Amino acid sequence: MRPSWFFSALLLAACYQPDYSAPHYRCGPDGTCPEGYFCQADLCQVDRPAGDMPVPDMQKQAQDLVASLPPPDMSANPPPAPGCTKGGSEIIKKGLYACLGAFTNNHDSQGALCQHGFHVCEGSSMDDMLLTEKAAADCAKIPGFYILRHKVVLDQDGMGNFVLDCAAKFGVPALLGCGAQDGALLVMPPCNGLSQTLSCVAQIKGWTCGQNGIDDVIHSVASPGGILCCKD
């Protein structure tokens, strides 16, 4: 017959439930512990080791946030330009600017887009010195269309190709200027160094002009664009 203490020991072993909440039980092979516990200093503990806590990548989060933002509306908040009253783009430093804004066929309305000391380019000999081939190429990259005050028409040659009539004798009235505008035509020969036009019989968003071309022009804020302003 077995002694009574033997049965008492078996009973205690069967009822024993280890308390993992205290850090005095060693980790298993390869640092394993029961679910919800973590191995620290070879002991199973409730708290995760500080070194195992995931560290957020703040730089990546900031980059993702910037990438998710919509692009700035440059027409609503145009960049400053010394030659313009409402913002625009510099084509020639302190000499030629593509100035943003709406206007009517009134000369004062157009001139109001040019800063003091500048005027609406109109094809004078001084203006032509600014309207170089490079200036025209640089302007052609600017969103919108920017006109100068020069009356032109579109005619056709014997092959049926559009040509630019700088004397505005016969043809379709057009606006002379430059810019990255959908619907703008590139025609030759250039007038005042420019060869981009908007036809007054075409429907160009934000632009209207009648049989008198530049004399009837109206530009709204429905699209970027405006006036070419030259240094006085």
Side-chain angles (χ1 to χ4, degrees):
M1 184 175 187
R2 297 181 183 274
S4 59
W5 60 265
F6 177 79
F7 294 104
S8 298
L10 288 178
L11 181 62
L12 287 174
C15 297
Y16 174 69
Q17 295 291 331
D19 180 10
Y20 286 107
S21 62
H24 53 268
Y25 291 97
R26 294 190 177 279
C27 307
D30 301 323
T32 55
C33 285
E35 184 178 356
Y37 292 82
F38 305 93
C39 187
Q40 297 186 63
D42 202 31
L43 297 174
C44 291
Q45 302 191 46
V46 176
D47 295 330
R48 181 190 292 268
D52 290 346
M53 294 295 288
V55 179
D57 188 341
M58 301 304 294
Q59 183 176 1
K60 185 177 184 305
Q61 289 182 9
Q63 291 174 343
D64 292 343
L65 176 61
V66 172
S68 69
L69 296 175
D73 185 354
M74 299 306 289
S75 62
N77 299 287
C84 307
T85 57
K86 297 183 178 180
S89 300
E90 183 177 77
I91 303 173
I92 296 178
K93 188 173 183 179
K94 297 182 180 179
L96 178 62
Y97 292 85
C99 296
L100 288 162
F103 56 83
T104 68
N105 59 346
N106 182 280
H107 284 197
D108 290 339
S109 173
Q110 298 167 14
L113 299 183
C114 299
Q115 191 64 263
H116 178 71
F118 290 80
H119 62 273
V120 178
C121 301
E122 50 191 7
S124 67
S125 58
M126 292 296 293
D127 293 350
D128 284 352
M129 293 177 63
L130 297 171
L131 297 168
T132 63
E133 184 176 348
K134 182 180 185 305
D138 290 343
C139 180
K141 303 172 186 177
I142 302 173
F145 197 76
Y146 303 85
I147 65 171
L148 77 162
R149 195 180 289 146
H150 185 143
K151 196 169 185 177
V152 298
V153 296
L154 292 172
D155 202 354
Q156 286 184 310
D157 61 16
M159 302 294 293
N161 300 314
F162 279 117
V163 293
L164 197 54
D165 181 358
C166 304
K169 292 181 179 178
F170 304 102
V172 176
L175 302 175
L176 180 64
C178 54
Q181 171 71 54
D182 289 340
L185 300 174
L186 182 64
V187 291
M188 294 293 179
C191 295
N192 304 112
L194 302 177
S195 55
Q196 283 186 283
T197 65
L198 296 182
S199 170
C200 289
V201 298
Q203 293 184 346
I204 307 295
K205 183 179 179 180
W207 293 92
T208 57
C209 53
Q211 289 300 314
N212 293 317
I214 187 67
D215 294 332
D216 292 336
V217 65
I218 296 175
H219 176 245
S220 72
V221 293
S223 68
I227 292 287
L228 286 173
C229 293
C230 290
K231 179 70 175 175
D232 289 348

